[in-house]
């Protein structure tokens, strides 16, 4: 074959070998050969997921919105000199123009005070409500309450759900059968009715017993809501975890661990639960807005936090009366609820897309 | 047959799975009265269509499933005997008997690095005294199965099918077992890689003297690696013989059909040979035919085949067949050859 002149088509992309001879080539060293081992950059599951999450503009936008909201509700009470249950006064004196102020306005007394002393009073950013309380700080506290309720309820639901679901799923058989029938029964109970009944009963039972505790400020309605969340809302979580564990249990790596001699507990904690983790995180993110929504809904019905504490739902409820004259007072909490719920939902979806992929 | 000669003996092993049918539970006879024995360092091939219970045999004898009945003896110790109610704790034997799984994708935990996957058996049985020793052992195992030791910190999902199967083999080798069940270890791999992996199994056997139960659904792979071959159909062993004997002198009609399904590389010979194509489907293990399980597809089936299940009979030393009409079949076959 050597030196055989073959006419090369001018369109051919083939390398013209006639220009080379054996001296032009040298053997690849072992090092160079190893470069041919095609393997991507080593990534962990977490890194890989975060990379995908970062590419999702909706999820990243949601994170920005949530972080902004959380920063504001953490910082604002330290800057704004008013309290959520404080009626605005000047030198301990009220005045009629104090109520229903518009954005960034001052009352007559406050204006007079500022003129007199030359001192700047903190503006009422969202104005004041019908009782003359600073509306901005009430919204801040309302958001705090709503978010806290959502997070606490979600954690409660997730913890109960994981324990119950993993026991049912891993042991299977009769244990699973009985545990899942209980879940079915709980699933069929009307949750709203139970919350209403429970808060009526609790109001009677707990009357005066909680004075001075945080629970007192939240009110019996909130306590009954937490109890109902703890009693009823974990069932869908438990079902989900059980389903996950049932599928993961059938993977050959669980059988392989058994074959090696790994104990049941170790299999559950080191093989099965880590593989459910993405689902757990995602559903937690989706559970929070659902709890917030329930709380807002109950507060709107007058079954939420007790006065004077506010939540986003109760603020919206209070604003109903003056809806025609002061629509902003209804719009503000409603928009914040929407923002939080939407952001958490989008974030949950983003997390699912980023983490809940088959690794292959 | 002196008892001590065998490493593993399985006698009358049965594995029935309770499955729901309507409101009642009926037994699915995945493995029904299977007996075989394996000598140290020997390979027994187990072939049969998928669904015939090969995997179940492997998993049951490793006690990943609780056997319904039978007797399992390993290394002179009775591990399980349904009649004498012997049921030993397997933890000790997990070091001596291991398994390589069929699916290299689902048999490795996607959240673990190669180092942790291969290290798990070392951790469970505490086979090292220091962190450094653990790492050394893992790296030398990786080398044994032809994996690049630099990839120890990588996750299983970063590897190709063949490499993953090697990881699975290294995990099985970690405890230094005497016996490995290889459950179709190459059937999920590309043909080009199958040969590499099968050769590796052979080399490991030569070097370490491990005995295999090598499961496959076609004879081609098994023929190459096995000393003896057992042919399974619907939970029963139909024929068992030395590898060469089974190839040259197959007796059971089902073995004939399996052999004729093996591709023949020479097209001239291939054209002359007659393919036996079985009619009908494998019956469901829930609706097992009476008598001989193969009778619904057997071209030689006669009336008595529906009545009694044929027992495994030795026709020549080391060659046993379960069929009522061995003589008829061999006569007909000779007739075919004469024509
Ligand atoms: N855990 C189980 N529960 C119920 N049925 C099973 C189980 N494992 C296997 N089977 C059934 O037992 C039969 C044999 O299955 P298997 O041993 O996996 O066959 P093979 O490995 O030869 O393809 C099949 O019909 C299968 O459906
Ligand atoms: S026993 Fe009868 S049906 Fe079964 S293989 Fe033999 S001839 Fe065929
Ligand atoms: Mg199988």
């Amino acid at each position: 074959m050597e030196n055989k002149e073959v006419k090369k088509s001018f369109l051919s992309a083939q390398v013209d070998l006639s220009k080379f001879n054996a001296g032009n080539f040298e053997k690849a060293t072992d090092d160079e050969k190893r470069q041919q081992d095609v393997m991507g950059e080593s990534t962990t599951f977490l890194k890989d997921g975060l990379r995908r999450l970062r590419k999702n503009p909706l999820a990243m936008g949601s994170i920005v919105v949530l972080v902004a909201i959380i920063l504001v509700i953490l910082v604002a009470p330290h800057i704004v000199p008013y309290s959520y249950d404080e009626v605005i006064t000047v030198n301990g004196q009220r005045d009629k123009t104090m109520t229903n102020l518009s954005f960034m306005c001052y009352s007559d007394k406050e204006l007079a005070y500022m003129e007199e002393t030359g001192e700047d009073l903190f503006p009422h950013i969202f104005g004041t409500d019908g009782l003359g309380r600073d509306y901005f700080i009430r919204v801040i506290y309302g958001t705090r309450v709503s978010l806290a309720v959502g997070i606490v309820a979600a954690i409660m639901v997730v913890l109960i759900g994981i324990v119950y679901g993993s026991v049912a799923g891993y042991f299977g058989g009769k244990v699973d059968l009985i545990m899942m029938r209980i879940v079915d029964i709980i699933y069929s109970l009307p949750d709203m009715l139970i919350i209403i009944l429970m808060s009526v009963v609790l109001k009677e039972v707990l009357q005066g017993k909680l004075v001075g505790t945080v629970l007192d400020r939240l009110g019996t309605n909130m306590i009954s809501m937490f109890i109902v969340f703890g009693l009823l809302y974990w069932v869908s979580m438990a079902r989900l975890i059980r389903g996950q564990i049932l599928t993961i249990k059938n993977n050959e790596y669980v059988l392989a661990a058994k074959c090696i001699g790994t104990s049941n507990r170790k299999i559950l904690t080191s093989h099965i639960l880590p593989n459910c983790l993405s689902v757990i995180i995602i559903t937690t993110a989706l559970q929070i807005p659902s709890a917030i929504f329930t709380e807002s809904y109950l507060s709107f019905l007058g079954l939420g936090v007790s006065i004077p504490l506010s939540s986003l739902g109760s603020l919206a409820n209070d604003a109903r009366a003056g809806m025609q004259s002061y629509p902003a007072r209804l719009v503000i909490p409603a928009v914040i609820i929407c923002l939080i719920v939407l952001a958490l939902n989008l974030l949950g979806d983003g997390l699912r897309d980023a983490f809940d992929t088959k690794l292959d | 047959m002196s008892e001590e000669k065998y490493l593993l003996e399985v006698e009358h092993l049965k594995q029935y799975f309770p499955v729901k049918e309507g409101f009642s539970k009926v037994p699915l006879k995945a493995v029904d009265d299977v007996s075989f024995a394996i000598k140290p360092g020997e390979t027994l091939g187990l072939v049969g269509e998928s669904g015939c219970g090969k995997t179940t045999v492997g998993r049951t004898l490793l006690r990943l499933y609780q056997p319904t009945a039978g007797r399992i003896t390993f290394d002179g110790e009775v591990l399980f005997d349904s009649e004498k109610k012997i049921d030993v704790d397997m933890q000790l034997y997990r070091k001596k008997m291991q398994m390589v799984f069929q699916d290299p994708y689902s048999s490795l935990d996607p959240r673990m690095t190669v180092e942790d996957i291969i290290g798990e058996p070392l951790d469970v049985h505490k086979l090292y005294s220091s962190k450094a020793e653990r790492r050394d052992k893992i790296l030398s195992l990786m080398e044994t199965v032809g994996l690049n030791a630099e990839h120890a910190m990588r996750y299983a999902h970063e590897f190709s099918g063949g490499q993953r199967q090697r990881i699975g083999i290294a995990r099985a080798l970690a405890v230094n077992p005497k016996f490995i069940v290889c459950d179709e270890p190459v059937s999920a791999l590309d043909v080009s890689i199958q040969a590499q992996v099968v050769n590796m199994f052979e080399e490991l056997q030569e070097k370490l003297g491990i005995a295999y139960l090598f499961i496959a659904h076609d004879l081609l792979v098994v023929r190459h690696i096995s000393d003896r071959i057992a042919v399974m159909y619907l939970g029963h062993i139909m024929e068992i013989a030395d590898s060469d004997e089974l190839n040259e002198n197959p007796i059971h009609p089902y073995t004939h059909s399996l052999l004729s399904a093996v591709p023949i590389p020479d097209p001239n010979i291939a054209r002359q040979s007659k393919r036996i194509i079985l009619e009908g489907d494998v019956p469901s293990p829930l609706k097992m035919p009476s008598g001989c399980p193969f009778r619904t597809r057997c071209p030689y089936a006669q009336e008595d085949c529906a009545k009694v299940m044929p027992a495994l009979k030795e026709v020549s030393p080391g060659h046993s067949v379960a069929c009522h009409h061995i003589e008829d079949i061999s006569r007909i076959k000779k007739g075919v050859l004469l024509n």
Side-chain angles (χ1 to χ4, degrees):
Chain A
M1 293 279 192
E2 220 171 297
N3 291 335
K4 207 181 204 178
E5 288 295 326
V6 184
K7 202 159 180 282
K8 189 169 167 275
S9 159
F10 78 103
L11 282 176
S12 165
Q14 198 174 10
V15 177
D16 187 1
L17 284 175
S18 64
K19 287 185 197 150
F20 299 101
N21 57 40
N24 289 105
F25 298 99
E26 65 184 87
K27 273 197 170 167
T29 62
D30 282 345
D31 228 26
E32 284 165 324
K33 276 184 194 157
R34 203 165 300 144
Q35 290 172 2
Q36 299 299 313
D37 279 352
V38 201
M39 286 206 101
E41 187 56 31
S42 178
T43 55
T44 65
F45 169 73
L46 194 70
K47 263 198 241 160
D48 215 32
L50 286 179
R51 186 179 50 80
R52 271 190 295 253
L53 189 67
R54 232 172 276 134
K55 279 194 193 143
N56 183 341
L58 279 178
M60 290 318 282
S62 306
I63 291 177
V64 171
V65 168
L66 287 173
V67 168
I69 290 178
I70 289 170
L71 275 182
V72 169
I73 62 173
L74 286 181
V75 171
H78 297 290
I79 295 173
V80 180
Y82 310 113
S83 149
Y84 66 90
D85 55 354
E86 171 195 358
V87 175
I88 303 300
T89 53
V90 177
N91 294 330
Q93 285 185 302
R94 300 183 184 197
D95 88 63
K96 276 248 171 60
T97 58
M98 214 58 127
T99 60
N100 296 330
L101 280 177
S102 185
F103 290 85
M104 301 302 279
C105 290
Y106 292 103
S107 68
D108 292 348
K109 273 236 166 87
E110 278 175 321
L111 286 173
Y113 176 80
M114 282 193 286
E115 200 123 302
E116 203 176 294
T117 59
E119 179 188 334
D120 268 347
L121 282 175
F122 199 85
H124 304 297
I125 300 173
F126 290 163
T128 57
D129 67 2
L131 294 174
R133 296 174 293 197
D134 185 81
Y135 200 60
F136 178 71
I137 203 73
R138 283 188 68 71
V139 169
I140 294 294
Y141 270 91
T143 314
R144 273 185 163 196
V145 168
S146 288
L147 260 184
V149 165
I151 290 168
V152 172
I155 288 174
M156 219 160 68
V157 163
V158 167
L159 282 184
I160 300 173
I162 287 175
V163 172
Y164 197 93
S166 54
V167 168
Y170 189 67
F171 291 102
K174 285 222 168 64
V175 180
D176 181 38
L177 191 83
I178 294 168
M179 287 176 89
M180 282 302 119
R181 289 302 82 73
I182 295 173
V183 163
D184 288 343
I185 293 168
I186 293 176
Y187 216 74
S188 64
L189 297 176
D191 43 2
M192 281 305 154
L193 190 67
I194 292 184
I195 292 179
I196 294 167
L197 289 176
M198 186 83 86
S199 56
V200 173
V201 173
L202 278 181
K203 205 169 266 174
E204 291 294 314
V205 174
L206 294 178
Q207 202 87 64
K209 286 191 188 152
L210 296 170
V211 183
T213 63
V214 190
L215 293 175
D216 183 39
R217 275 213 284 171
L218 277 174
T220 48
N221 286 336
M222 279 295 106
I223 297 168
S224 69
M225 203 185 95
F226 278 127
I227 291 175
V228 170
F229 262 107
L231 281 178
L232 304 183
Y233 278 35
W234 54 269
V235 288
S236 47
M237 191 72 187
R239 270 187 179 173
L240 198 99
I241 297 289
R242 169 184 169 269
Q244 273 289 309
I245 284 178
L246 281 183
T247 40
I248 290 171
K249 205 172 73 165
N250 280 334
N251 272 315
E252 278 185 341
Y253 60 80
V254 173
L255 213 58
K258 240 186 225 168
C259 189
I260 284 166
T262 312
S263 66
N264 269 344
R265 212 196 54 199
K266 196 93 206 297
I267 290 178
L268 193 60
T269 54
S270 74
H271 289 291
I272 296 183
L273 281 180
N275 280 291
C276 294
L277 203 62
S278 52
V279 175
I280 293 171
I281 293 171
I282 293 154
T283 23
T284 312
L286 294 175
Q287 197 73 51
I288 299 172
S290 135
I292 290 177
F293 209 75
T294 312
E295 184 277 327
S296 302
Y297 171 66
L298 287 170
S299 293
F300 192 75
L301 292 179
L303 289 166
V305 285
S306 47
I307 22 189
L309 198 61
S310 59
S311 82
L312 292 173
S314 70
L315 287 174
N317 186 32
D318 294 344
R320 255 184 333 159
M323 202 156 69
Q324 308 273 319
S325 336
Y326 313 106
R329 291 223 294 264
L330 180 58
V331 171
I332 291 168
V335 165
I336 294 175
I337 291 175
C338 288
L339 269 181
I340 293 175
V341 172
L342 190 69
L344 280 168
N345 271 313
L346 288 175
L347 179 61
D349 278 347
L351 284 173
R352 173 163 47 219
D353 292 345
F355 287 97
D356 200 15
T357 47
K358 271 248 157 69
L359 294 165
D360 52 14
Chain B
M1 278 204 241
S2 80
E3 297 257 321
E4 305 91 299
K5 252 172 60 188
Y6 290 109
L7 176 67
L8 173 82
E9 274 177 279
V10 174
E11 292 158 78
H12 308 294
L13 187 69
K14 290 180 185 170
Q15 179 67 63
Y16 298 172
F17 293 113
V19 286
K20 267 191 214 144
E21 212 184 47
F23 288 106
S24 59
K25 280 200 173 156
V26 291
L28 184 154
K29 300 183 178 180
V31 173
D32 204 2
D33 206 346
V34 160
S35 305
F36 57 83
I38 301 176
K39 289 184 199 138
E42 186 191 50
T43 303
L44 175 70
L46 186 61
V47 280
E49 280 162 286
S50 53
C52 73
K54 307 179 297 293
T55 300
T56 310
V57 168
R59 291 183 181 174
T60 308
L61 73 89
L62 286 183
R63 305 289 306 284
L64 296 174
Y65 300 149
Q66 184 66 9
T68 310
R71 180 184 156 95
I72 302 168
T73 317
F74 182 81
D75 220 1
E77 294 277 339
V78 179
L79 301 187
F80 181 83
D81 190 325
S82 55
E83 275 167 23
K84 295 200 185 123
K85 301 256 183 305
I86 298 174
D87 188 355
V88 300
D89 179 19
M90 283 298 287
Q91 198 64 17
L92 204 68
Y93 292 91
R94 298 271 176 236
K95 271 196 280 190
K96 301 185 178 170
M97 311 162 86
Q98 272 301 317
M99 183 153 189
V100 173
F101 291 85
Q102 176 171 5
D103 183 355
Y105 292 88
S106 87
S107 62
L108 304 177
D109 189 335
R111 296 291 141 79
M112 281 176 131
T113 59
V114 175
E115 185 175 345
D116 286 336
I117 290 172
I118 301 176
E120 190 179 356
L122 300 176
D123 297 339
V124 170
H125 298 287
K126 306 197 173 55
L127 296 177
Y128 53 86
S129 48
S130 67
K131 274 240 162 72
E133 192 187 344
R134 177 179 189 263
R135 188 158 175 87
D136 283 348
K137 280 199 166 170
I138 291 167
L139 294 186
S140 87
L141 279 164
M142 288 181 76
E143 218 158 278
T144 309
V145 297
L147 284 168
N148 189 342
E150 283 166 27
H151 296 161
M153 292 312 290
R154 289 180 182 257
Y155 286 81
H157 66 93
E158 300 174 58
F159 291 86
S160 68
Q163 287 173 316
R164 283 169 176 236
Q165 203 56 295
R166 287 167 193 267
I167 299 171
I169 295 167
R171 171 174 60 190
L173 290 177
V175 291
N176 222 343
K178 289 185 180 172
F179 171 66
I180 299 181
V181 174
C182 312
D183 185 7
E184 305 200 29
V186 297
S187 63
L189 306 181
D190 289 344
V191 180
S192 56
I193 292 164
Q194 284 189 356
Q196 283 178 17
V197 176
V198 170
N199 287 340
M200 196 177 71
F201 273 112
E202 284 191 312
E203 280 163 26
L204 289 172
Q205 185 167 50
E206 249 165 58
K207 214 163 61 182
L208 307 168
I210 308 169
Y212 295 137
L213 176 67
F214 201 97
I215 300 173
H217 61 255
D218 68 283
L219 264 169
L220 193 63
V221 176
V222 160
R223 203 155 65 170
H224 178 68
I225 194 173
S226 306
D227 300 306
R228 276 149 41 76
I229 296 178
V231 176
M232 238 185 128
Y233 186 80
L234 272 185
H236 296 266
I237 288 186
M238 292 309 203
E239 183 163 11
I240 180 165
D242 284 352
S243 186
D244 297 335
E245 164 79 4
L246 193 89
N247 275 299
E248 281 151 28
N249 187 21
I251 295 175
H252 199 279
Y254 182 59
T255 315
H256 285 303
S257 71
L258 280 183
L259 276 171
S260 85
V262 173
I264 299 167
D266 186 334
N268 290 323
I269 301 175
R271 229 167 279 135
Q272 283 163 18
S273 74
K274 237 174 65 182
R275 283 234 160 164
I276 305 166
I277 294 163
L278 289 179
E279 284 176 16
D281 291 324
V282 190
S284 149
L286 280 175
K287 294 195 183 67
M288 203 74 94
S290 62
C292 173
F294 188 54
R295 72 176 167 83
T296 54
R297 301 164 84 194
C298 178
Y300 309 101
Q302 294 171 28
E303 262 176 46
D304 58 339
C305 297
K307 288 176 191 140
V308 193
M309 164 70 210
L312 210 54
K313 274 191 304 250
E314 198 161 45
V315 290
S316 62
H319 189 165
S320 305
V321 182
C323 175
H324 291 309
H325 302 287
I326 300 170
E327 292 80 22
D328 295 356
I329 294 169
S330 54
R331 205 166 350 105
I332 295 169
K333 261 191 67 194
K334 278 205 190 92
V336 169
L337 287 180
L338 286 178
N339 287 344

